[in-house]
Amino acid sequence: MTTVRATTPSPTTSSPPTPGPAASVPSDGRPAVPSFAVITGAQVQHALRGREKDIVAVIENAYRLHGSGASVNPPSSFLRFPDRPTARIIALPASLGGDVQVEGVKWISSFPENVAASIPRASAVLILNDHTTGYPFACLESSIISATRTAASAAAAADWLSRDRPRPVRIGFFGAGLIARYIHTFLEGTGWSFDEIGVHDLAASSSAGFRLYLEQAGATGRVTVHSTAEELIRQSDLVVFATVAGAPHVLEPSWFAHRPLVLHVSLRDLAPQVLLTATNIVDDVAHCLRAATSPHLTEQLTGNRDFLDGTLDDVMSGRVGVPADRTAVFSPFGLGVLDLAVGKYVYDEVARAGELRTVDGFFHELRRYG
């Protein structure tokens, strides 16, 4: 019978990071076939809880590696369903080098109608592959990893894009689901505090639930549920879009006349006319200009990419500045390398704690000729 057992990792040092199990080799020097570990959502959450600053540093390192060319990040593949037009499943393959050295793929589904059944919209797994042999060595529950890397990316962008402007003290969340909750957690966990927190969602129950979360979490700032999108945007210095919108629905540039910082996490909320009045920062140019994102639609409208000012890595390295006299919009497509970076961090933490659960005999056909 196949069994799952906990294993105790070999002693490791803090740098480089803990190797995957395939990194060990037999005495004759040949690469070894790895063990295969399954890491549950509870283990993932335990490894990440309360470590917002560490995870933001992991994300920033991944962006720098990606910007330096130490990564492979092919286009995501979208599986869509003619009978369920709002649903999709996406594969994000990637390879991350540098001090991380791991390959893998995230397989994440988005079924918005799940919410009506009181189960989460998104579910996901992340497979990590060994850099030397290519063998998969871990399968991790990844909805938490995905939300974490999204929130950490947003927190990093909020920090870097606000360094040359007054730090926002009024935040507005457009979309009040799980991603909004994670972004708020990461902002507060990395030192942000707000005098006012605005909330707007098309579903009153979502606004009420998010407000309850904020109150129970002891969030700083007065919480206001806004009845209109315009009201939320005009009264916020930092606007977070975390919706499931499939096409632009915020059309009026004048709503941004006060030049806020915008975390356009859901990518399809803003009309091209809004982006054309802003400083536009993305995570990766080629990735963002596809799949009918707002930047993609802007490129199609204008016939060029001149409206893009650079990537977050450009901002972090000082190659691109973010002036305070324009609205600043961060539109991240969401890179697979970020999932790998956070997933490898989780794997290392679980391994260091001696809590890896490996599946005995997972790889069975190991002799070339039987």
Side-chain angles (χ1 to χ4, degrees), residues 307-322:
F307 66 95
L308 290 181
D309 294 271
T311 66
L312 184 57
D313 178 60
D314 290 329
V315 175
M316 293 192 298
S317 66
R319 293 187 295 267
V320 170
V322 183

Side-chain angles (χ1 to χ4, degrees), residues 281-300:
I281 304 298
V282 297
D283 54 359
D284 181 281
V285 173
H287 282 76
C288 280
L289 295 180
R290 62 189 300 267
T293 65
S294 294
H296 187 200
L297 297 178
T298 305
E299 180 191 34
Q300 293 176 329

Side-chain angles (χ1 to χ4, degrees), residues 81-93:
F81 312 95
D83 60 329
R84 292 159 289 168
T86 65
R88 65 189 183 187
I89 308 179
I90 312 172
L92 289 80

Side-chain angles (χ1 to χ4, degrees), residues 192-241:
W192 289 77
S193 61
F194 301 98
D195 296 336
E196 299 179 27
I197 302 175
V199 181
H200 174 71
D201 196 289
L202 296 181
S205 59
S206 295
S207 294
F210 190 61
R211 179 172 192 164
L212 179 62
Y213 150 74
L214 291 170
E215 293 171 348
Q216 292 180 339
T220 60
R222 179 170 60 91
V223 179
T224 302
V225 175
H226 294 281
S227 58
T228 68
E230 179 180 2
E231 183 180 84
L232 175 88
I233 293 168
R234 287 187 181 277
Q235 296 187 25
S236 301
D237 308 314
L238 173 58
V239 184
V240 178
F241 285 94

